[in-house]
Amino acid sequence: DALPISLRAFCQYRLGARPLTATSRGFSERARGVATHRAAELLFSGLPARAELEQLHASVASAVERALEEAFGGARAALRALFEIERARLTSLLLRLLEADSLRGEFRVVAIEDARDVRLGEWTIRTRIDRADALAEGGLAVIDYKTGRRASPSDWLTERLHDAQVPLYAVSADGAVAAAVIAKLHARDVSYAGFFRDDAFPNRARALPDGRTWEQQLGRWREQIMQLVEEFAAGDTRLLPDELDEARGTYAPLSRVAEQLALNRGGLSRW
């Protein structure tokens, strides 16, 4: 969803609202995302180092088989053609991920699907980091798998965070975090993007704005996340001018954004 983060959180966790289930043919995007995360979890469960990646190629098939078996369950036999399509897709994704990892600097995976509670002021947030790698140059890289088409670290640099997930991981992980990264796992793009030392990941790292240091960016994320948490706790769901386009989404009937815009333009009269 592309709703402003505080409004989305309020709708989902304070009002208990849920979007209507979108119908789709074949494997849904959500099921595909769950299976992809599960297969990656199984593949890296041994917490390998970069030098051990070549050995993981032999484990891709079993990781894919198990992840899809869990996803399809008893429907596998009836949907065997779809199962084979998803098997080919997911196998390709994992092999391409291993290839991208082989182009990185030295590292070792130190955590997979790491669930933890994060204390922010008087509130506690439950998190789950997809993956954390220890970098040879020092520090951790927190990595979040993204299976959708749109995934950008640019959402971490807005005045109000449009995507707080990875920034929250970066400011709350055990140990010093040196990189905040998304791993794009899509048929058209398997790559890394985010903030890291130039030799830590393939592709170019994003530059921090205005000569800001990494420590300053972490501090800024802490402040922004606390602001969002406090707004959520207070029930503050205001739509800001730069978020109006994003508010036209799943929960637009609750935000009544179209009505409010019409009122502001004079195209609608109040009762």
Side-chain angles (χ1 to χ4, degrees):
D1 291 327
L3 280 171
I5 189 168
S6 56
L7 176 60
R8 183 171 69 245
F10 185 86
C11 290
Q12 291 182 356
Y13 301 112
R14 294 286 287 272
L15 301 182
R18 293 293 182 269
L20 295 175
T21 301
T23 59
S24 61
R25 294 182 179 180
F27 218 36
S28 69
E29 288 189 9
R30 183 180 183 280
R32 185 171 288 128
V34 170
T36 301
H37 278 72
R38 178 61 172 150
E41 176 188 4
L42 293 168
L43 183 63
F44 291 101
S45 61
L47 306 182
R50 179 181 177 277
E52 300 166 329
L53 292 178
E54 187 66 30
Q55 302 170 27
L56 293 187
H57 284 74
S59 302
V60 169
S62 61
V64 169
E65 176 80 15
R66 181 173 170 186
L68 291 179
E69 182 69 35
E70 293 174 4
F72 277 75
R76 175 178 178 174
L79 301 175
R80 58 184 180 275
L82 180 59
F83 187 96
E84 293 304 321
I85 291 173
E86 291 302 321
R87 186 208 298 271
R89 180 198 66 83
L90 189 47
T91 298
S92 174
L93 286 184
L94 292 189
L95 289 174
R96 291 160 67 190
L97 177 60
L98 289 176
E99 180 182 357
D101 273 338
S102 71
L103 300 176
R104 293 174 50 189
E106 295 297 328
F107 70 90
R108 175 176 287 279
V109 180
V110 294
I112 291 289
E113 296 295 329
D114 184 23
R116 64 182 60 221
D117 291 339
V118 177
R119 188 74 176 173
L120 294 171
E122 59 183 292
W123 300 282
T124 300
I125 298 178
R126 180 159 296 175
T127 66
R128 182 181 293 273
I129 301 176
D130 288 341
R131 178 172 155 190
D133 293 355
L135 304 177
E137 299 86 353
L140 295 175
V142 291
I143 301 172
D144 189 55
Y145 298 130
K146 297 293 187 184
T147 58
R149 293 186 181 182
R150 184 189 179 281
S152 174
S154 298
D155 290 337
W156 310 339
L157 296 178
T158 50
E159 188 64 28
R160 283 169 51 82
L161 285 174
H162 287 180
D163 181 359
Q165 186 177 14
V166 175
L168 175 59
Y169 297 162
V171 302
S172 61
D174 289 341
V177 171
V181 182
I182 55 176
K184 300 179 183 180
L185 300 179
H186 189 269
R188 297 180 181 176
D189 185 17
V190 175
S191 62
Y192 284 108
F195 300 97
F196 46 84
R197 301 185 187 97
D198 288 339
D199 58 346
F201 290 84
N203 302 332
R204 292 185 60 184
R206 291 296 183 97
L208 293 173
D210 304 325
R212 190 180 301 160
T213 67
W214 178 241
E215 289 71 23
Q216 289 171 335
Q217 183 61 55
L218 291 174
R220 181 176 176 82
W221 282 339
R222 289 188 188 94
E223 294 173 358
Q224 290 176 308
I225 291 168
M226 277 304 306
Q227 178 185 358
L228 292 173
V229 169
E230 289 169 356
E231 289 176 359
F232 171 76
D236 185 348
T237 58
R238 290 172 294 175
L239 297 180
L240 302 183
D242 64 348
E243 295 178 327
L244 291 179
D245 287 342
E246 297 181 348
R248 298 182 179 93
T250 302
Y251 299 118
L254 292 175
S255 71
R256 299 167 67 179
V257 60
E259 174 188 336
Q260 296 305 314
L261 291 175
L263 285 169
N264 289 339
R265 291 193 299 263
L268 186 67
S269 299
R270 293 187 182 275
W271 288 78

